Amino acid sequence: MQAGGHCIDGGMFLETIAVYWESRVKVYSITELTGLTLARFTFPISDSERWGDRLIQLESVISRFELVIQDRIDSESLQISLLFHCSLQGNIEEMAEQWNSEPSTSVAFSSSLDLVFLHGPHFQDRYGIADIAFSALQEGKIDIIAAGCAGTTIYIVLPDKMGHAAKQILTDTFFIPAGG
C-alpha cells in the first residue's frame, strides 16, 4: 500500500479522492465596481500576434484593465473583451478607430457597466461555484453581459446600476466569514 492510495488487483494503486461540500459556499469577499466600459475587439485568428502587440499599446494608454477575456467566436475569429474605467474610453476609441476598418475586424464599446467579483478559497479546485453565482443572479432577474473566472475569482459584468442588486443577491447566496 502507498500513502494516499489503496492497492487493487494487479498491483495498481487507486488514489484517494476527497469530496468537499458546504451548505453555503464560503467566499472571502464580494466587490462592486461601477462606471466601466467594455471594449470588444473581434479579429481573425491569423492576426493574433498583431493583436497581442495592440494589447500592449492599449495597456500603455490604460494603466489598468479590470478584466480581460478572450473568446473563440468561430473557427476563424477571436474576440478580446477589455473592461476599464469609462473615463479612459476616448483614449482607446482613438486607437481602435483605425483597426475597425480592417477586413474581418470589428470594435464595439458598451459603456456605464458594473462589475461584481467574488474572491474565495480554492475556487479553481471546487466545482459548481460559478453555477451557484449565475443561477442566483438569473433567479434575481439580473442580466450578465460577460463573465470570466481566474483561479480564486469570478468576475461578472452587469448592466448599469445592477451591481448593487447583484452584490446583495450574491451576499445572500454565499457565506462571508466575519472580518471577510
Side-chain angles (χ1 to χ4, degrees):
M1 176 166 299
Q2 290 183 342
H6 297 63
C7 184
I8 58 175
D9 291 339
M12 297 177 60
F13 290 90
L14 178 66
E15 188 173 332
T16 302
I17 298 171
V19 176
Y20 183 79
W21 180 84
E22 296 172 300
S23 59
R24 230 172 128 202
V25 175
K26 178 170 68 172
V27 298
Y28 293 140
S29 65
I30 301 173
T31 304
E32 171 192 359
L33 298 177
T34 61
L36 303 172
T37 293
L38 184 67
R40 291 184 170 156
F41 302 94
T42 304
F43 55 91
I45 292 172
S46 59
D47 288 345
S48 294
E49 186 174 342
R50 182 168 32 154
W51 276 89
D53 292 339
R54 288 177 174 172
L55 284 177
I56 292 169
Q57 290 175 345
L58 290 173
E59 185 182 29
S60 69
V61 172
I62 295 182
S63 59
R64 178 182 173 89
F65 296 118
E66 297 299 335
L67 180 63
V68 177
I69 303 171
Q70 179 178 314
D71 295 302
R72 186 179 183 136
I73 302 302
D74 55 37
S75 63
E76 298 177 6
S77 303
L78 292 176
Q79 183 176 77
I80 293 179
S81 301
L82 306 174
L83 190 68
F84 52 88
H85 193 271
C86 280
S87 65
L88 302 168
Q89 182 173 338
N91 299 347
I92 288 189
E93 282 179 330
E94 288 176 22
M95 295 177 77
E97 190 174 305
Q98 62 191 353
W99 304 334
N100 204 22
S101 62
E102 295 175 2
S104 303
T105 299
S106 69
V107 179
F109 292 91
S110 300
S111 298
S112 299
L113 301 176
D114 294 349
L115 174 68
V116 173
F117 54 96
L118 298 84
H119 178 69
H122 311 291
F123 280 0
Q124 72 273 22
D125 297 332
R126 297 160 60 202
Y127 300 100
I129 296 170
D131 182 55
I132 292 168
F134 299 152
S135 294
L137 293 175
Q138 182 179 29
E139 191 174 304
K141 304 209 182 320
I142 304 282
D143 291 330
I144 297 172
I145 293 173
C149 302
T152 60
T153 307
I154 299 170
Y155 299 89
I156 306 168
V157 182
L158 307 160
D160 186 32
K161 300 189 182 2
M162 295 306 294
H164 184 73
K167 182 178 179 182
Q168 188 59 55
I169 289 169
L170 295 171
T171 299
D172 293 343
T173 302
F174 293 93
F175 170 65
I176 304 172

